[in-house]
Amino acid sequence: MDQREFNSRLARTGSNQEKIVLLDSYAESLFEKENYSGASEHYARALKLEKQPNVQAYFAGRIGICQFNLGNDREALRQLLKSAQLFEPDKPEFMADMYGFVYFHLGSLLEYHGKTAKSLEARRVCEQYIESQEKDTRWMLYAGISRNYEALGKHDQAIQYSQKAIEVLSDNDPGLAYLYESMANNHLSLKQYPEALKYFSKVLELEPEFE
């Protein structure tokens, strides 16, 4: 539906719950069109109407992800932290997939700003809900944890998580070259030269122009 139709339907909607459902649906349609600003605005309107903490957490998380995609890091962090604090895993309406996804984005944001230990902490929370996450989120989460461990000088753990990420992907997936390079670099740091050479060779098989 377009904005005019949405406004018309919203004006005819009676209860707050019906308004929330409509706002959520329209915000999702805007998000899928990469209109993150518009999606954020409508998620915020739904958040103001919602009373249930776990659903409030969902909307705050959606706003945070929109702001993350817009590059508004400060507001993204504020909303993602708000979402994380609002979630109550032992209460009705808890959304494990969204809870994990919020911490996935927190991990990325904190890593970008150089807060490696806090990034790892956030990503380990997401890992607890890994089965609820989509394939791309799973392998990127494992790759992110690997980077965290590499930055902390824990190369064995970095290798372990790069391997987890590799296992998520199918053969010849474009992400494999990055992961093989990560494996090679961590083996190199451990002076495990035959293993490092093996993974550098795998990178070249996928990307012959790699330097």
Side-chain angles (χ1 to χ4, degrees):
M1 76 185 104
D2 60 19
Q3 185 72 49
R4 179 178 295 180
E5 182 183 355
F6 166 76
N7 289 337
S8 175
R9 289 181 61 181
L10 189 65
R12 297 194 306 270
T13 302
S15 70
N16 279 352
Q17 187 56 44
E18 289 174 323
K19 286 183 170 66
I20 290 167
V21 171
L22 185 59
L23 285 161
D24 182 32
S25 176
Y26 188 59
E28 182 65 23
S29 71
L30 293 174
F31 187 92
E32 289 175 356
K33 296 174 183 174
E34 300 185 4
N35 182 352
Y36 303 122
S37 180
S40 181
E41 176 187 340
H42 288 82
Y43 283 130
R45 292 175 68 182
L47 176 58
K48 288 180 180 179
L49 296 173
E50 183 57 59
K51 302 300 182 186
Q52 215 280 347
N54 276 324
V55 185
Q56 289 178 330
Y58 162 79
F59 286 124
R62 297 302 296 178
I63 295 166
I65 292 167
C66 287
Q67 296 301 317
F68 178 93
N69 289 342
L70 288 167
N72 298 332
D73 289 1
R74 180 175 295 182
E75 182 61 13
L77 181 61
R78 188 177 78 85
Q79 292 291 343
L80 291 168
L81 289 173
K82 177 180 178 179
S83 174
Q85 291 164 1
L86 280 168
F87 269 118
E88 298 179 338
D90 58 339
K91 296 292 178 66
E93 304 296 334
F94 174 66
M95 298 167 235
D97 55 345
M98 189 62 188
Y99 187 63
F101 206 40
V102 163
Y103 275 97
F104 171 81
H105 282 84
L106 277 171
S108 297
L109 196 57
L110 290 165
E111 180 188 22
Y112 180 75
H113 288 280
K115 298 180 179 180
T116 303
K118 288 187 176 181
S119 171
L120 177 59
E121 182 180 338
R123 284 171 168 153
R124 293 304 300 271
V125 174
C126 180
E127 188 183 12
Q128 296 174 37
Y129 299 88
I130 193 70
E131 295 304 319
S132 68
Q133 304 301 309
E134 295 185 359
K135 177 181 175 180
D136 280 348
T137 303
R138 294 201 306 273
W139 86 261
M140 286 190 288
L141 174 68
Y142 288 141
I145 293 175
S146 177
R147 287 195 305 274
N148 290 150
Y149 277 128
E150 183 176 3
L152 293 169
K154 298 181 178 182
H155 300 290
D156 284 323
Q157 290 96 322
I159 289 169
Q160 176 188 348
Y161 275 91
S162 283
Q163 184 60 49
K164 284 177 177 284
I166 288 168
E167 290 170 3
V168 173
L169 297 178
S170 56
D171 292 344
N172 299 318
D173 188 291
L176 285 172
Y178 164 78
L179 294 169
Y180 289 151
E181 182 186 3
S182 173
M183 293 283 280
N185 286 330
N186 280 290
H187 279 297
L188 194 61
S189 294
L190 292 170
K191 299 183 180 180
Q192 297 171 345
Y193 302 121
E195 288 297 307
L197 181 60
K198 180 178 81 172
Y199 282 103
F200 278 130
S201 297
K202 286 178 175 287
V203 174
L204 290 173
E205 287 175 13
L206 292 175
E207 294 188 5
E209 302 302 318
F210 176 81
E211 294 182 2

